[in-house]
Amino acid sequence: MMYMHHMSQKPALSGDPESFQPALQPGALIEVCLCHHTRRAARAVTRVFDEALLPTGLKASQFNILAVIAARDPTSAGEVARLLAMDRTTLSRNLKPLKEEGYVTAGGGSGRRPDTLTLTREGSAILARASLLWRTAQGEMTQRLGSNQSSILLQALEAATRAAS
């Protein structure tokens, strides 16, 4: 008798594992892997924005959460997670310091996950201050890429998000 917890989640490789050859060599995989290049670019661009936002104490990820909440104020945690293509547990983890700083209030829901998110006066103030720093970083990145490439990149990233959803 086979029990579910004994079943492997990985697809079984047929034949001798020593003779298994990947479809592409690792170096070639890295050259064409959409995930690798997207994550690498995201880390590099995030560093630029994190550095720019340093005077506010916000990280780029927190800035994005505040901006989405401000754009939809009030909004649900589910809607913020959807707009950021983020799962609810990751959003909850990222919201915690924003709530502790008094930038966001959560309420209106029942249970462990209050559903309605609203910016506080302090949240609006820090977002306004951070937006000035963001604008500088955005301008620098646009200049480095060129406005045409920036536009193409935004369109490609939006298409990738839709394709992956």
Side-chain angles (χ1 to χ4, degrees), residues 17-163:
E18 296 293 319
S19 67
F20 173 73
Q21 292 294 317
L24 291 173
Q25 293 302 313
L29 285 170
I30 290 171
E31 286 179 25
V32 299
C33 180
L34 294 171
C35 183
H36 166 73
H37 285 279
T38 303
R39 291 176 60 86
R40 187 178 76 165
R43 285 188 295 270
V45 172
T46 298
R47 275 193 300 274
V48 170
F49 283 87
D50 279 347
E51 186 176 304
L53 295 171
L54 201 58
T56 66
L58 292 175
K59 295 193 172 294
S61 57
Q62 294 170 320
F63 174 81
N64 289 327
I65 291 169
L66 292 175
V68 168
I69 294 170
R72 306 280 190 182
D73 200 359
T75 189
S76 70
E79 179 71 358
V80 173
R82 184 187 68 74
L83 289 168
L84 293 172
M86 180 183 285
D87 64 64
R88 293 265 315 237
T89 57
T90 303
L91 177 61
S92 293
R93 239 185 352 267
N94 283 279
L95 276 170
K96 186 178 180 184
L98 297 174
K99 290 178 195 173
E100 289 171 354
E101 289 293 329
Y103 300 149
V104 175
T105 60
S110 60
R112 290 182 14 206
R113 294 188 195 177
D115 203 38
T116 303
L117 301 173
T118 306
L119 282 190
T120 64
R121 188 179 354 218
E122 294 83 5
S124 294
I126 196 72
L127 180 59
R129 184 170 168 228
S131 292
L132 297 172
L133 299 170
W134 170 87
R135 181 177 289 164
T136 300
Q138 180 79 358
E140 288 173 7
M141 283 301 301
T142 300
Q143 185 177 15
R144 290 180 198 173
L145 281 168
S147 60
N148 190 45
Q149 285 288 36
S150 293
S151 179
I152 291 168
L153 178 59
L154 287 173
Q155 291 172 14
L157 292 171
E158 184 60 34
T161 302
R162 280 193 311 272

